[in-house]
């Protein structure tokens, strides 16, 4: 009997220690208070970090309080290395009272660095992203109590040391936490792209940027492991081979600094077989962001089930006119398709017109946050979709997302264009396997 009791205690301690050893160092709640002699009340900041996806992506929540102001924001954190978590550009406001900070949350841009204080207790220190021209605090026209409080909070986020102490290791969880990790469900764009299905595990990555700007540095991680660290994109021959794991992979592109000017405008080009795409900090929605994340799946059989087959015709782009740009080319085994059109960034008054085989499909279609669905009928063989920007909206250029759906497979294209430019999508309708 006594032997069994000791065996039970031994097993209990063994598994308890094992669970504690597996506890994520980042997940849990972190808090701090900031005050000065001139402040009537302190600024209270709490960061809640949820259960990670593969120890790489962390849904998170911020509570910010000072005097009469109280707000809560959702955000995404991405692991840069064993100590650092990059902070998403967007912080979605769940609650703000009695006013909103608007662009003020942008100042919380950079990363959280894990270390220990003098007592050996874990702390997260906020590291602002390196920039020779830091963002200025927006001027406030009317001076009143709300304006003063807003300026005080923004100045705290922009200038002061932010160091958070861990108060609990219980991960944050709410009805919203899981949505942050799913682009289709998240309330805003957190830097996480839709999943891309690839035909091969072997790939090549290289970098490009505007030549007049120098000193922009970037890093790349794959499945939480550093692939390239703080490389200068202006140096020649910045190319690297990359090998994916079978199944799901998480690739993260980090902006290490804002170089000589804000923002970092580096572009990472990726090529896997006949599949080419890019992650670009010059895009409006990723401008001044700390990271861009994309999930990559290398499972050819699954890809055929869920993703349209790419259609490659060597030399096809040489036949295009000066004002035409080939965005993509796919093969469809379905005659009837659905087009979904929306703007995932902001509703700024953009409108578009679309032709199929030189006939108008829609004209002057407003691009809203809510998708508009259009039924499209293909003819056998090649079909040409022409996507035209009608205007520039209030924020140039004209931006939208066009997603092609056949009920099982889908393919989305991000469109950026100006009036007079034509974005082309080629769809080959294959009526019988092997027809092409």
């Amino acid at each position: 009997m006594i032997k069994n009791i000791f065996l039970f205690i031994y097993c209990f301690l063994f598994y308890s220690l094992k669970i504690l050893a597996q506890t994520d160092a980042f997940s849990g709640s972190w808090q701090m208070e900031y005050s000065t002699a001139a402040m009537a009340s302190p600024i209270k900041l709490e960061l809640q970090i949820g259960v990670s996806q593969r120890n790489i992506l962390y849904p998170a929540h911020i509570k910010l309080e000072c005097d009469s102001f109280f707000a809560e924001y959702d955000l995404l954190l991405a692991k840069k290395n064993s100590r650092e978590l990059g902070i998403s550009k967007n912080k979605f406001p769940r609650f703000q009272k009695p006013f909103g900070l608007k662009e003020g949350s942008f100042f919380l841009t950079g990363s959280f660095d894990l270390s220990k204080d003098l007592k050996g207790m874990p702390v997260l220190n906020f590291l602002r992203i390196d920039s020779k021209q830091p963002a200025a605090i927006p001027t406030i026209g009317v001076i009143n109590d709300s304006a003063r409080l807003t300026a005080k909070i923004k100045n705290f986020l922009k200038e002061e040391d932010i160091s958070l102490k861990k108060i609990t290791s219980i991960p944050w969880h709410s009805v919203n936490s899981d949505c942050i990790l799913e682009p289709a469900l998240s309330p805003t764009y957190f830097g996480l792209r839709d999943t891309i299905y690839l035909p091969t595990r072997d790939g090549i990555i290289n970098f490009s940027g505007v030549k007049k700007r120098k000193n922009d540095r970037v890093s790349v991680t794959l499945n939480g492991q550093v692939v390239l660290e703080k490389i200068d994109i202006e140096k020649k021959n910045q190319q690297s081979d990359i090998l994916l794991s079978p199944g799901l992979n998480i690739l993260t592109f980090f902006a290490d600094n804002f170089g000589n000017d804000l923002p970092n405008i580096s572009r990472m080009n990726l090529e896997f077989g006949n599949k080419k795409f890019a992650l670009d900090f010059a895009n409006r929605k990723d401008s001044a962001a700390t990271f861009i994340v994309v999930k990559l799946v290398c499972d050819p059989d699954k890809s055929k089930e869920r993703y349209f087959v790419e259609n490659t015709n060597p030399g096809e782009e040489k036949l295009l006119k000066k004002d035409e740009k080939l965005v993509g080319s796919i093969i469809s085994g379905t005659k009837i398709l659905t087009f979904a059109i929306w703007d995932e960034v902001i509703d700024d008054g953009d409108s578009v017109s679309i032709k199929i085989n030189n006939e108008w499909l829609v004209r002057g279609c407003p691009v809203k946050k809510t998708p508009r669905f259009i039924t499209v009928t293909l003819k056998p063989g090649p079909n040409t979709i022409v996507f035209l920007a009608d205007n520039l909206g209030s924020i140039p250029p004209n931006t939208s997302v066009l997603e092609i759906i056949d009920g099982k497979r889908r393919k989305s294209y991000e469109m950026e264009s100006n009036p007079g430019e034509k974005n082309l999508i080629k769809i080959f309708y294959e009526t019988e396997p092997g027809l092409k």
Side-chain angles (χ1 to χ4, degrees):
M1 180 69 179
I2 295 176
K3 183 179 179 181
N4 290 336
I5 293 174
F6 277 112
L7 182 61
F8 172 80
I9 294 172
Y10 173 82
C11 293
F12 174 80
L13 291 174
F14 175 82
Y15 286 107
S16 296
L17 290 172
K18 187 175 181 180
I19 291 171
L20 288 172
Q22 294 175 344
T23 300
D24 192 289
F26 295 105
S27 295
S29 294
W30 307 74
Q31 288 183 350
M32 73 164 290
E33 284 192 11
Y34 170 78
S35 63
T36 64
M39 293 174 59
S41 59
I43 297 175
K44 298 179 181 179
L45 177 64
E46 180 175 354
L47 172 66
Q48 299 172 306
I49 303 178
V51 176
S52 70
Q53 182 175 43
R54 300 183 63 178
N55 290 322
I56 300 170
L57 302 178
Y58 293 79
H61 188 75
I62 283 177
K63 294 181 180 180
L64 188 59
E65 182 178 359
C66 182
D67 199 3
S68 62
F69 176 79
F70 181 77
E72 298 187 28
Y73 305 91
D74 288 348
L75 65 156
L76 176 66
L77 305 176
K79 182 179 284 188
K80 190 172 185 180
N81 52 51
S82 61
R83 288 183 46 160
E84 281 187 71
L85 294 180
I87 304 170
S88 64
K89 171 186 174 181
N90 288 333
K91 289 86 180 171
F92 182 76
R94 287 292 178 186
F95 180 82
Q96 297 186 108
K97 182 181 179 180
F99 53 83
L101 288 181
K102 296 182 180 179
E103 72 284 349
S105 61
F106 165 75
F107 297 124
L108 199 67
T109 299
S111 62
F112 288 114
D113 179 73
L114 179 65
S115 62
K116 292 184 178 181
D117 62 15
L118 296 176
K119 296 180 179 180
M121 302 302 293
V123 294
L124 278 181
N125 296 305
F126 172 47
L127 304 180
R128 294 177 176 86
I129 194 164
D130 181 31
S131 175
K132 291 186 178 181
Q133 295 185 4
I137 297 177
T139 57
I140 299 171
V142 180
I143 301 299
N144 52 38
D145 290 341
S146 294
R148 291 190 184 93
L149 185 55
T150 302
K152 181 167 64 174
I153 295 171
K154 288 181 178 179
N155 185 74
F156 163 71
L157 295 174
K158 179 179 182 293
E159 301 285 354
E160 304 300 338
D161 291 337
I162 295 178
S163 183
L164 302 131
K165 294 185 178 181
K166 196 168 194 178
I167 60 170
T168 176
S169 295
I170 300 174
W172 170 65
H173 183 74
S174 78
V175 293
N176 304 315
S177 57
D178 293 338
C179 296
I180 295 173
L181 299 174
E182 294 295 335
L185 302 176
S186 62
T188 191
Y189 173 67
F190 289 112
L192 178 59
R193 300 289 188 88
D194 284 334
T195 302
I196 296 178
Y197 294 87
L198 300 174
T200 177
R201 293 172 56 197
D202 300 280
I204 298 173
I205 57 177
N206 58 63
F207 303 88
S208 57
V210 178
K211 293 182 179 179
K212 292 182 179 180
R213 297 207 179 179
K214 297 181 179 180
N215 300 322
D216 279 352
R217 298 190 305 273
V218 296
S219 296
V220 182
T221 66
L222 176 64
N223 298 327
Q225 302 298 315
V226 176
V227 176
L228 295 167
E229 187 172 19
K230 295 182 179 180
I231 66 167
D232 185 348
I233 65 165
E234 296 303 325
K235 292 183 179 179
K236 295 182 179 181
N237 302 319
Q238 292 286 7
Q239 180 169 303
S240 178
D241 295 330
I242 189 169
L243 179 63
L244 303 180
S245 299
L248 176 65
N249 296 260
I250 299 177
L251 183 73
T252 311
F253 186 34
F254 288 96
D256 291 315
N257 67 348
F258 288 154
N260 293 339
D261 196 5
L262 189 153
N264 186 309
I265 53 171
S266 305
R267 172 188 174 98
M268 179 169 64
N269 308 296
L270 301 101
E271 181 177 347
F272 291 84
N274 59 8
K275 178 67 177 179
K276 298 180 181 180
F277 60 99
L279 304 180
D280 193 348
F281 284 115
N283 285 339
R284 184 177 62 176
K285 66 179 183 178
D286 292 309
S287 177
T290 306
F291 62 77
I292 308 172
V293 183
V294 62
K295 296 180 181 179
L296 306 175
V297 174
C298 181
D299 187 345
D301 293 334
K302 197 69 174 178
S303 174
K304 292 177 182 177
E305 294 175 6
R306 299 183 60 182
Y307 219 63
F308 286 100
V309 177
E310 297 289 335
N311 186 24
T312 56
N313 291 311
E316 186 174 17
E317 294 192 7
K318 295 181 181 179
L319 303 176
L320 299 177
K321 297 179 181 179
K322 190 174 181 180
D323 61 345
E324 294 178 336
K325 176 185 176 183
L326 183 62
V327 178
S329 184
I330 60 175
I331 298 173
S332 174
T334 305
K335 182 178 182 180
I336 307 297
L337 298 177
T338 299
F339 285 3
I341 306 169
W342 74 93
D343 192 332
E344 66 180 1
V345 180
I346 189 172
D347 186 349
D348 62 343
D350 290 341
S351 69
V352 299
S353 297
I354 304 175
K355 281 184 176 182
I356 179 170
N357 301 326
N358 214 30
E359 294 184 2
W360 289 110
L361 186 62
V362 291
R363 302 191 69 174
C365 174
V367 182
K368 304 288 187 180
K369 292 285 286 184
T370 303
R372 174 175 176 177
F373 298 95
I374 303 167
T375 301
V376 180
T377 303
L378 303 177
K379 68 177 184 180
N383 295 260
T384 302
I385 312 299
V386 181
F387 197 91
L388 300 153
D390 296 326
N391 62 6
L392 293 177
S394 60
I395 307 175
N398 185 303
T399 59
S400 58
V401 175
L402 173 64
E403 185 169 45
I404 303 172
I405 309 164
D406 75 351
K408 294 181 180 179
R409 288 166 289 271
R410 66 189 185 96
K411 174 67 177 177
S412 61
Y413 296 98
E414 295 181 5
M415 304 289 193
E416 285 192 4
S417 55
N418 296 299
E421 298 175 351
K422 298 177 181 178
N423 286 323
L424 273 57
I425 298 175
K426 303 278 189 174
I427 304 178
F428 190 93
Y429 172 35
E430 192 175 41
T431 55
E432 298 178 10
L435 175 65
K436 185 173 179 295

